[in-house]
Amino acid sequence: MRSLPLSDPGTPDVTSPTRLLLRTAALQWRPMVAGSAVGTLWLLSQAVLPAAIGRAVDEGVVDGDSAALTRWSLLVLGLAVVTSWAAIVRHRFGVTNWLTACFRTLQQVGRHTSRAGTAVTARLPQGEVMASIASDGPRLADAFDVTQRAVASVAAVAVVAVLVLRTSVPIGLVILVGVPVVMGLLLLVLRPLQERQRLHRKLSGELTSIGTDTVRGLRVLRGIGGEEVFLGRYRAKSQQVRAAGVRVAVWESSLEALQVLVPGLLVAALVWAGARATARGEITPGDLVALYGYAAFLTSPLRMLVEAADKYVRALVAARRLTTLLAVPPAVTDDGTATTAGGDLDDPDSGVHAAAGALTAVVCDPPEDAAALARRLTRFDDDTRATFGGVPLRRLPVAEVRRRVLLSEDDAQLFSGTVREQVDPEGRHTDAEVLAAVDVADARDVLDLVDGGLAGTVTERGRSLSGGQRQRLALARVLAREPEALVLVEPTSAVDAHTEARIAARLRTARAGRTTVVATASPLVLPQVDEVCWVREGRLAARGRHADLLARDAGYRRFVTRDAAADLPAPRTPTPEDRP
């Protein structure tokens, strides 16, 4: 029994689609060889069966030798037993090879996309990545299921050709010449089929991308009345996919028909030649029976060879898409060897400084700069000069950075599962610790909403929850990890004012003594922080307490309060000299 998923899926060779397939085969060569050997035994036991039946006819029936008839009948029975056993074992190896190749490919894609991160979606649409995971892995695996039957078919055709040549050279030449002709005719259909499959695969990926974008932005589309526009785009693209699918089906149906017609013509020619040779006395009645058996048997390996060619074409199409995905260079290279005791977080590009153990807020104008700054502070790509405890993040191992410096972006991502799994996906914490994180994020109402509390089920992507509830569960998840340094991007943007104030106060208490950076412009959160970094156009403009910045920086005051009157000087506190 093989344990799946694999503990180590290996490193794929992405230099070309063919090398990707060969590398995958090399990583599982033992079951491939064993399956091919058993598959060869399975077909060879069928290939020699007509010869045994023919000898039984000649020696046992025509010559009237009962002992010979019994002997050859027992041999036929033995071959049938071997065929049945080999068929079972061959199928088990086929399933094993398919599952292993499929899981290996999916694991390689999963590991690569997790390492490459945003570099994948920056180069490829999300729908393309989803289509690769959903269809390309299984299609590539089909090649490893059919290989053992292809090897066995080649061996069986060769053995049948030798047996027929020993019976009659002219009839043997029919097989030796006819089989390549049959394969050539069938392979002519595969090239246009491959082109149409590649186009269909491309259009399917584009359709998936449109569907993904529509679902993700459905709430926005409803707000602006754009559902019909995207529905029209989706309908038009789906019609293109349908038309491409019909073109693929035309060639696939032609191939299926030729798989029956062309080998059938070869079988008919073989039977006709055998009957003519028997009538002329060139071969015995037993030889004719054997020839008919060979002819009937040949349809099976010939169909398998065409099936193998078809699946190899499909696998190459899938491998081409997979190499494109797997060849995307990771945004982060794991070549760090330095260590650090931790400390301040610094971003030289912007001048932002987050003191160790303090709660620091970053207010960015424009707001979208906050996401880029947060990614630099947590090394989500190699384009960063940020330091942690004075050591450049690029010099630290990626695993250490991920363990000690955690980023939580404003796009709250949840997965299907229990509430507990949302907060503690790795199962490292007790219920009390999970509930403590939920309390800090003020997410107790989620436990009341679902049946079962922590054991209650959250639907896929948290669709059963509101945007604020999803955001608070995501906040509880990062708080439960208790990282040494935590970077939050707009963690309270989807909650009401009262909830936001409670979260800000609890966050300050829960993260006391640990480095926390909050990218926000909320006037309810900013008074709770130790220091505010005011960043304009990517550079630090001012630093200080929230109240001090309000008093002395008109730009900060205008941005935070969203009040045009904030450009006026702050009112001066009356002094005793001002009194009459």
Side-chain angles (χ1 to χ4, degrees):
M1 296 295 292
R2 181 173 293 272
S3 177
L4 296 172
L6 302 169
S7 57
D8 180 15
T11 303
D13 187 340
V14 298
T15 54
S16 71
T18 302
R19 292 183 69 88
L20 175 63
L21 290 170
L22 293 176
R23 172 61 176 168
T24 304
L27 290 172
Q28 56 187 75
W29 68 270
R30 288 184 177 86
M32 291 287 293
V33 170
S36 298
V38 175
T40 300
L41 177 63
W42 168 60
L43 278 188
L44 289 184
S45 61
Q46 298 177 63
V48 300
L49 188 62
I53 294 175
R55 295 296 297 273
V57 170
D58 283 340
E59 297 180 15
V61 177
V62 177
D63 296 342
D65 188 343
S66 300
L69 179 62
T70 301
R71 186 169 58 253
W72 286 110
S73 297
L74 289 175
L75 179 59
V76 169
L77 177 62
L79 290 173
V81 171
V82 171
T83 299
S84 300
W85 173 85
I88 296 172
V89 178
R90 192 272 314 162
H91 180 72
R92 288 176 62 90
F93 274 111
V95 173
T96 297
N97 284 316
W98 189 92
L99 287 174
T100 304
C102 186
F103 271 88
R104 187 187 305 280
T105 302
L106 295 182
Q107 285 180 253
Q108 289 172 345
V109 170
R111 292 192 178 189
H112 178 75
T113 52
S114 65
R115 285 195 304 266
T118 55
V120 172
T121 52
R123 294 197 179 192
L124 299 172
Q126 290 186 2
E128 184 68 25
V129 178
M130 293 175 61
S132 291
I133 295 173
S135 62
D136 289 338
R139 286 191 176 183
L140 182 143
D142 286 341
F144 298 89
D145 169 37
V146 78
T147 292
Q148 58 193 28
R149 283 179 283 154
V151 172
S153 297
V154 172
V157 170
V159 168
V160 167
V162 171
L163 292 174
V164 175
L165 282 172
R166 294 183 61 183
T167 302
S168 171
V169 172
I171 299 177
L173 292 176
V174 172
I175 296 179
L176 291 178
V177 175
V179 170
V181 171
V182 168
M183 293 303 301
L185 291 174
L186 294 176
L187 290 176
L188 287 176
V189 183
L190 288 179
R191 180 169 292 277
L193 175 60
Q194 180 182 7
E195 296 299 325
R196 284 157 178 78
Q197 287 174 341
R198 185 182 297 116
L199 176 61
H200 182 259
R201 171 65 182 79
K202 176 178 178 293
L203 293 174
S204 297
E206 294 174 355
L207 180 64
T208 305
S209 298
I210 293 176
T212 302
D213 291 342
T214 304
V215 171
R216 288 173 64 89
L218 189 58
R219 184 171 300 179
V220 176
L221 289 174
R222 286 176 176 171
I224 63 176
E227 303 104 307
E228 290 300 325
V229 175
F230 268 75
L231 178 61
R233 289 180 57 192
Y234 188 86
R235 183 183 293 113
K237 182 61 69 173
S238 66
Q239 289 303 311
Q240 293 180 21
V241 175
R242 182 194 63 79
V246 170
R247 288 192 291 270
V248 170
V250 168
W251 285 94
E252 285 184 340
S253 60
S254 300
L255 180 62
E256 289 290 333
L258 289 175
Q259 281 182 284
V260 177
L261 175 63
V262 179
L265 293 176
L266 176 62
V267 170
L270 193 60
V271 173
W272 180 82
R276 297 274 297 177
T278 304
R280 291 194 299 268
E282 298 173 357
I283 60 176
T284 66
D287 292 334
L288 177 62
V289 171
L291 283 174
Y292 181 80
Y294 296 144
F297 166 75
L298 280 176
T299 59
S300 179
L302 288 176
R303 285 179 63 89
M304 290 181 192
L305 287 173
V306 177
E307 178 191 1
D310 181 31
K311 288 189 174 181
Y312 286 149
V313 169
R314 292 172 178 264
L316 283 171
V317 173
R320 183 174 290 107
R321 310 299 303 187
L322 288 168
T323 52
T324 301
L325 190 155
L326 293 171
V328 175
V332 179
T333 54
D334 193 5
D335 54 0
T337 58
T339 59
T340 177
D344 301 343
L345 271 176
D346 289 284
D347 177 44
D349 292 342
S350 64
V352 169
H353 170 83
L359 178 58
T360 304
V362 178
V363 181
C364 291
D365 180 17
E368 52 267 22
D369 288 352
L373 171 61
R375 288 176 173 271
R376 291 199 300 270
L377 287 173
T378 52
R379 196 194 170 191
F380 261 66
D381 56 54
D382 281 341
D383 187 20
T384 180
R385 296 190 296 142
T387 62
F388 181 40
V391 178
L393 288 173
R394 290 190 60 177
R395 293 180 54 196
L396 297 174
V398 173
E400 181 178 353
V401 176
R402 297 290 176 264
R403 177 174 54 85
R404 301 176 65 183
V405 185
L406 189 61
L407 169 65
S408 178
E409 297 184 285
D410 56 346
D411 185 14
Q413 296 291 336
L414 299 181
F415 305 91
S416 58
T418 64
V419 175
R420 195 188 200 290
E421 291 170 340
Q422 307 302 321
V423 180
D424 183 24
E426 296 171 332
R428 295 181 177 180
H429 301 283
T430 64
D431 286 352
E433 292 170 334
V434 172
L435 289 173
V438 170
D439 286 336
V440 174
D442 200 40
R444 280 276 185 172
D445 60 312
V446 178
L447 301 181
D448 300 330
L449 179 66
V450 298
D451 295 332
L454 288 177
T457 301
V458 176
T459 56
E460 181 185 3
R461 299 181 65 85
R463 290 190 306 240
S464 58
L465 306 178
S466 67
Q469 289 169 331
R470 290 196 298 269
Q471 188 177 60
R472 284 178 282 146
L473 273 185
L475 177 60
R477 180 169 57 205
V478 296
L479 291 172
R481 295 294 298 269
E482 297 185 337
E484 187 175 337
L486 176 61
V487 180
L488 303 170
V489 180
E490 297 291 353
T492 57
S493 60
V495 301
D496 60 78
H498 295 291
T499 303
E500 187 174 27
R502 288 194 299 269
I503 292 175
R506 294 173 183 176
L507 179 65
R508 178 179 180 83
T509 302
R511 293 290 300 172
R514 282 170 292 188
T515 307
T516 306
V517 179
V518 183
T520 182
S522 169
L524 296 175
V525 177
L526 295 173
Q528 297 288 341
V529 305
D530 297 312
E531 187 176 52
V532 178
C533 292
W534 167 228
V535 179
R536 300 194 69 177
E537 302 298 336
R539 293 296 304 172
L540 182 69
R543 175 189 290 120
R545 299 282 298 183
H546 172 61
D548 296 337
L549 290 177
L550 282 178
R552 73 171 188 260
D553 194 306
Y556 176 81
R557 185 165 61 250
R558 181 180 65 254
F559 187 81
V560 172
T561 63
R562 299 171 178 82
D563 184 2
D567 285 329
L568 301 174
R572 187 167 59 90
T573 304
T575 63
E577 290 76 9
D578 295 326
R579 296 173 184 170

